[in-house]
Amino acid sequence: MQYKLSVTKGFASAHCLREYKGKCENVHGHNWKIRAAFSGAELDKTGMLMDFTDIKAHLDKIMAYLDHKFLNETPPFDKINPTAENIAFYILNELKKFETSTAKACEVEVWESETSSATVTAENR
């Protein structure tokens, strides 16, 4: 059996897409919505895979770094394009720092609007 927990949080920031031809090459902002998930097969003695409070705290640390920033000037997006896909990849990699022996960061979905999102999934999870 596999368990999957997810938490949704958000932050606001601005960006512009390099090498893009269209409106999004101009500086603009988003109220990003992030859904982060951890998965695993074993529960701890309390019957939890991971405490939701811990997941929220980990995600809050990452969001604080990105919140109210111009992403194009914020590492690693000063070097890579701050697309929804790259933001999702960055957040997933940051969440891996908080994995436990039984709970692994498995997926991040990033919405840049109510109708558009990008999802990255960790392989072999």
Side-chain angles (χ1 to χ4, degrees):
M1 181 163 302
Q2 193 74 5
Y3 299 93
K4 185 175 176 181
L5 303 177
S6 65
V7 169
T8 302
K9 303 288 262 175
F11 70 96
S13 68
H15 71 157
C16 57
L17 299 182
R18 301 175 191 96
E19 300 183 36
Y20 182 85
K21 301 301 176 210
K23 292 190 308 185
C24 293
E25 68 185 320
N26 299 314
V27 175
H28 62 284
H30 293 285
N31 290 317
W32 304 93
K33 184 169 87 171
I34 311 301
R35 185 185 56 80
F38 282 79
S39 67
E42 293 181 40
L43 303 181
D44 66 16
K45 64 182 179 184
T46 64
M48 292 190 285
L49 175 68
M50 183 179 236
D51 192 325
F52 282 119
T53 302
D54 292 338
I55 299 171
K56 290 174 188 175
H58 302 324
L59 196 52
D60 281 343
K61 290 177 188 175
I62 299 165
M63 301 297 98
Y65 177 71
L66 301 172
D67 191 38
H68 283 78
K69 301 279 178 65
F70 177 47
L71 294 180
N72 294 65
E73 296 176 352
T74 306
F77 305 109
D78 57 338
K79 304 269 191 281
I80 63 171
N81 228 1
T83 62
E85 295 90 338
N86 283 334
I87 293 168
F89 181 80
Y90 168 78
I91 293 170
L92 181 64
N93 280 332
E94 289 297 304
L95 287 172
K96 288 180 181 180
K97 296 175 183 176
F98 304 110
E99 292 180 340
T100 68
S101 60
T102 57
K104 307 299 181 192
C106 66
E107 186 175 277
V108 170
E109 185 170 10
V110 172
W111 283 271
E112 65 174 34
S113 72
E114 290 197 23
T115 60
S116 302
S117 71
T119 303
V120 63
T121 304
E123 295 186 29
N124 300 323
R125 297 287 168 148

